[in-house]
């Protein structure tokens, strides 16, 4: 398998369709090193959040890498306590300071909960966009009805909805609404917190390609037009995930994955809009 380069990663509306997730990557040195390693491997999409407590380390990793900031698609998220108009603006400015950057390529509403108010929250995001502090508006963990409401209240195009998505939670309704609204779907937990390695379907397909079950899950998402952002800390896992770009699944293999009936949501807080 030929190692993909950054040029081999497809993009949608400027967003690279394979990124590095950093949830739970809390050790500052390790986090910075994993970000640096990912960028020098070829990744150009880095995802973090205020909640993760690692934005400073993510910023350090970007600066340590031999990659220009302008070539990095950097995304972060505002937590549910900071979604009122004034709080959202203040928190976004703090995100920039903590990351050590002048702008964000994508700023998400982490969850539509607590202080989230479509009118006030998106008014803040529109101001951040107009000031050039964010390049794109994003939502996360939104169900179809919430996606429609968001589009109605946001005068700036919404680039992406980041949701848990993997072969055991394919999110057909979210993906269908996203297509209708011209919103990209970004998948967190695309390896189902490791459950992909216990799937006979995924491991059998992986064995046929001399690949990993992780690569099969990521390739399946990519085939469905979904942008996965698997978290990884070691060079081995960062490179293994990246090599999913070189894996081509047959129609029959995609059908086998589509036919998986198990439903297994890994992230399910009480305030999730589906509850």
């Amino acid at each position: 398998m030929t190692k993909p380069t950054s040029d081999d990663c497809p993009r949608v509306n400027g967003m690279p369709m394979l990124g590095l997730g950093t949830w739970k990557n809390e050790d500052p040195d390790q986090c910075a090193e994993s970000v640096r390693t990912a960028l020098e491997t070829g990744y150009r999409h880095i995802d973090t959040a205020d909640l993760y407590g690692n934005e400073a380390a993510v910023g350090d990793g970007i600066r340590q890498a031999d990659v220009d900031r302008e070539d990095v698609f950097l995304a972060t998220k505002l937590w549910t306590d900071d979604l009122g108009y004034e709080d959202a603006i203040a928190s976004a400015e703090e995100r920039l300071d903590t990351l050590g950057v002048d702008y964000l390529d994508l700023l998400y509403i982490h969850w539509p909960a607590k202080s989230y108010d479509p009118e006030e929250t998106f008014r803040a995001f529109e101001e951040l966009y107009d000031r050039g502090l964010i390049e794109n508006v994003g939502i996360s963990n939104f169900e179809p009805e919430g996606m429609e409401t968001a589009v109605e209240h946001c005068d700036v195009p919404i680039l992406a909805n980041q949701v848990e998505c993997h072969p055991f939670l394919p999110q057909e309704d979210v993906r269908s609404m996203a297509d209708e609204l011209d919103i990209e779907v970004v998948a967190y937990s695309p390896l189902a917190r490791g459950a992909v390695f216990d799937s006979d379907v995924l491991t059998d397909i992986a064995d046929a390609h001399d690949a990993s079950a992780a690569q099969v899950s990521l390739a399946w998402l990519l085939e469905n037009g979904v942008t996965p952002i698997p978290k990884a800390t070691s060079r081995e896992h960062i490179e293994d995930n990246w090599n999913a770009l070189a894996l081509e699944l047959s129609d029959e293999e995609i059908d086998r994955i589509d036919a998986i009936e198990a439903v297994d949501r890994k992230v399910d807080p009480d305030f999730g809009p589906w509850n």
Side-chain angles (χ1 to χ4, degrees):
M1 184 183 294
T2 302
K3 179 181 176 181
T5 69
S6 60
D7 291 336
D8 294 318
C9 184
R11 289 175 175 254
V12 287
N13 295 318
M15 179 175 67
M17 287 189 69
L18 180 59
L20 177 74
T22 60
W23 181 71
K24 289 288 190 180
N25 197 346
E26 297 166 348
D27 179 86
D29 292 338
Q30 182 184 63
C31 182
E33 177 63 15
S34 62
V35 169
R36 184 194 67 79
T37 298
L39 291 172
E40 295 185 353
T41 297
Y43 290 75
R44 292 296 181 267
H45 182 167
I46 306 295
D47 182 90
T48 183
D50 177 17
L51 180 69
Y52 301 169
N54 62 9
E55 289 172 319
V58 168
D60 287 342
I62 292 172
R63 286 183 289 277
Q64 291 170 16
D66 189 21
V67 176
D68 290 341
R69 162 68 185 100
E70 291 72 20
D71 294 330
V72 179
F73 187 93
L74 177 59
T76 192
K77 310 174 191 76
L78 301 188
W79 188 237
T80 57
D81 295 328
D82 296 320
L83 298 177
Y85 173 73
E86 293 181 357
D87 289 340
I89 291 175
S91 181
E93 292 172 342
E94 184 179 350
R95 308 278 63 75
L96 292 167
D97 289 342
T98 304
L99 285 157
V101 296
D102 296 326
Y103 69 95
L104 296 166
D105 296 273
L106 178 57
L107 180 64
Y108 289 102
I109 296 165
H110 206 152
W111 292 86
K114 294 186 180 179
S115 62
Y116 171 66
D117 175 86
E119 184 174 343
E120 292 300 302
T121 304
F122 286 112
R123 184 162 70 94
F125 274 61
E126 290 163 12
E127 178 172 328
L128 293 165
Y129 178 87
D130 289 341
R131 290 170 56 189
L133 299 183
I134 65 174
E135 297 279 316
N136 294 283
V137 172
I139 56 180
S140 184
N141 296 297
F142 277 55
E143 291 284 273
E145 183 177 354
M147 295 168 67
E148 290 184 295
T149 300
V151 169
E152 290 171 2
H153 285 85
C154 189
D155 291 337
V156 177
I158 295 174
L159 175 63
N161 183 17
Q162 184 178 137
V163 297
E164 178 183 348
C165 189
H166 45 71
F168 317 115
L169 189 68
Q171 296 278 22
E172 291 102 331
D173 291 346
V174 169
R175 287 160 46 202
S176 177
M177 181 58 70
D179 285 342
E180 184 176 327
L181 298 176
D182 196 24
I183 294 174
E184 302 301 328
V185 176
V186 175
Y188 70 77
S189 297
L191 309 183
R193 303 279 177 87
V196 296
F197 299 104
D198 298 323
S199 166
D200 291 341
V201 172
L202 297 178
T203 55
D204 286 349
I205 293 172
D207 289 345
H209 290 272
D210 192 23
S212 68
Q215 290 171 353
V216 173
S217 184
L218 297 175
W220 174 80
L221 287 163
L222 289 164
E223 287 283 353
N224 280 287
V226 176
T227 297
I229 50 168
K231 68 167 188 168
T233 53
S234 71
R235 176 179 292 276
E236 177 185 3
H237 288 153
I238 288 170
E239 292 183 348
D240 185 76
N241 292 340
W242 180 248
N243 287 333
L245 291 170
L247 177 59
E248 295 186 13
L249 301 176
S250 68
D251 291 342
E252 184 270 338
E253 290 168 333
I254 293 172
D255 289 342
R256 287 174 63 194
I257 299 172
D258 288 342
I260 293 174
E261 295 183 355
V263 176
D264 187 8
R265 185 185 289 276
K266 299 295 185 180
V267 180
D268 192 15
D270 292 340
F271 56 78
W274 48 83
N275 287 326

